[in-house]
Amino acid sequence: ASTNTYNIKRYSISPGTFGLDEERDTEGFYCETAQEYAGCFHQFLQGTGKPIMNNLILMNSALCLFAASVVPTLEEGVDMVVDTIADESAALYLKTYAATLSKTPIISQRKQQQQQQ
């Protein structure tokens, strides 16, 4: 929904709103753990993900770009995400980010706590 001083607008969206194929097979749509979600995202970046999860990731990414006014339409958001993945910069950034994140004090503390349990 979009809000401003005077009204609230509700939107109904589907993969078609983003220029994506409507995927009806919901197998593999749900993940139980953060590790499963990370696996789905990794598969998405490698081009081996299930279509319904790929669409979900594309739609969420496009919505973020649209909400941040980086792109004027949801379809252009999808195009930007696809282009970023095609040139492999997203996978490289994610790998670098994960390596950096694992060295932060909060993550290190949490790992120590889990090992002590």
Side-chain angles (χ1 to χ4, degrees), residues 35-101:
Q35 289 82 3
E36 287 180 11
Y37 280 110
C40 287
F41 191 71
H42 179 72
Q43 290 172 349
F44 169 74
L45 291 176
Q46 299 301 313
T48 59
K50 296 185 179 188
I52 195 161
M53 286 304 284
N54 293 348
N55 278 353
L56 181 63
I57 293 167
L58 283 170
M59 291 186 311
N60 281 328
S61 300
L63 279 167
C64 290
L65 292 169
F66 179 74
S69 299
V70 174
V71 294
T73 68
L74 295 171
E75 286 185 12
E76 288 181 56
V78 168
D79 290 342
M80 181 179 275
V81 173
V82 169
D83 290 345
T84 302
I85 291 164
D87 74 10
E88 298 181 3
S89 60
L92 178 62
Y93 176 78
L94 184 61
K95 189 174 188 177
T96 303
Y97 179 71
T100 303
L101 184 63

Side-chain angles (χ1 to χ4, degrees), residues 4-55:
N4 60 37
T5 307
Y6 304 107
N7 62 27
I8 297 174
K9 294 180 182 177
R10 295 195 181 271
Y11 298 94
S12 291
I13 60 172
S14 70
T17 308
F18 297 78
L20 300 169
D21 291 333
E22 299 284 339
E23 180 60 43
R24 300 289 178 212
D25 180 11
T26 59
E27 182 183 342
F29 183 69
Y30 299 101
C31 296
E32 298 282 329
T33 66
Q35 289 82 3
E36 287 180 11
Y37 280 110
C40 287
F41 191 71
H42 179 72
Q43 290 172 349
F44 169 74
L45 291 176
Q46 299 301 313
T48 59
K50 296 185 179 188
I52 195 161
M53 286 304 284
N54 293 348
N55 278 353

